[in-house]
Amino acid sequence: MFDFSIVTTWFDSLLRQTLGLGDFWTVLIECVVVGLLILIGYAVLAIILIFMERKVCAYFQCRLGPMRVGPWGIFQVFADVLKMLIKEIFAVDKADKLLYYIAPFLVIIASIGTFSFLPWNKGAHILDFNVGVFMITAISSIGVLGIFLAGWASNNKYSVLSAMRGAVQMISYEMTLGLCLIAAVAMTGTMQMGGIVESQTGPGNWLICKWNIPAIIAFILFLIAGNAEANRGPFDLAEAESELTAGYHTEYSGMGFGFYYLAEYLNLFVISGIAAAVFLGGWAPLNIGIDGFDTVMNYIPGIVWFLGKTFVVVWLLMWVRWTFPRLRIDQILTLEWKYLMPFALFNLVLATIWVAFNFNLW
């Protein structure tokens, strides 16, 4: 398995020794390069996910999806992005201007912040703190403020109702997400995202393998809660068009709306990426203990493994969205507080017992 830290170490030595730059300029250039890579990756993945969503939706509805702009409609997303970039940004009468313009940036900051914690490859972690799981949950909570402020500042009754729904839904389902991640931390012994993936290397060491019952339960609960956290169907009641027009971003246009649009799809990728890293081994290859097979699997780059697992989870969540009908707000909250969270608490206790007594069914 290729260690990407070789590349980062070479680049750092190039700046410090070959070019003779000091600490300040070296760190500054490295931060700029990393920031550009994050933004480029963010934009490219958003385009891929939007196109993928349209094709998956069309498949489930026995349609073809976008087909006119470019072969198989692959340039349709680029046309939509161009339209959004040149679209007029209008001001809303009697809106709280400061909060109105800050809200989209809070959502995109939370999305990019959590996106930066994903472990792409061995040695390719943009942010890899020793409390990475805690930082992910903390930064993702900022998105709730962006949603609530958008509805409150828009001076629109539909936006306020939508923001209240979205905020209470996201705050509620963060409980189950956090409990599932704590269970994974108990089973891996670390809160560092890179350490969680490292603990899953080796034959049959993915967290949901070996008939690890608490990990399997946590993985299923995480997918359900993550779908709700990302405001995806059937949990997209905050954007119920038949009741609340466009929801909390009704009064936004141009890139104000574009930020919410991007954040929704990248939050889907982030949730899937965290699930892939924590429960499916992240960049760790599929090893089963057979030398020839494991050697071939180890030749596949880690980033391919990570993206492959992540897009499988993305496809599963898209399948759920286009299969199940939208829930009511009381059903959404009942599902969380009466079923998911108690089950997640029970599973956390089960995980601690599993680790304490070192159960292994494989």
Side-chain angles (χ1 to χ4, degrees), residues 127-201:
L127 296 175
D128 194 26
F129 299 154
N130 60 344
V131 288
V133 171
F134 172 77
M135 289 296 295
I136 287 174
T137 55
I139 294 175
S140 64
S141 301
I142 299 174
V144 179
L145 293 176
I147 288 176
F148 189 76
L149 290 180
W152 177 263
S154 294
N155 193 31
N156 182 309
K157 60 183 178 181
Y158 299 113
S159 297
V160 172
L161 288 172
S162 173
M164 292 173 64
R165 287 182 179 182
V168 72
Q169 175 180 320
M170 293 179 70
I171 292 172
S172 298
Y173 279 87
E174 281 177 357
M175 304 291 291
T176 298
L177 283 176
L179 291 171
C180 293
L181 291 176
I182 293 173
V185 168
M187 287 180 280
T188 57
T190 178
M191 294 183 68
Q192 190 171 4
M193 290 298 292
I196 291 175
V197 177
E198 286 280 0
S199 68
Q200 300 178 69
T201 57

Side-chain angles (χ1 to χ4, degrees), residues 3 9 96 115 145 155 158 183 205 245-246 324 352:
D3 190 346
T9 303
D96 188 321
F115 180 75
L145 293 176
N155 193 31
Y158 299 113
N205 275 355
T245 59
F324 294 100
T352 56

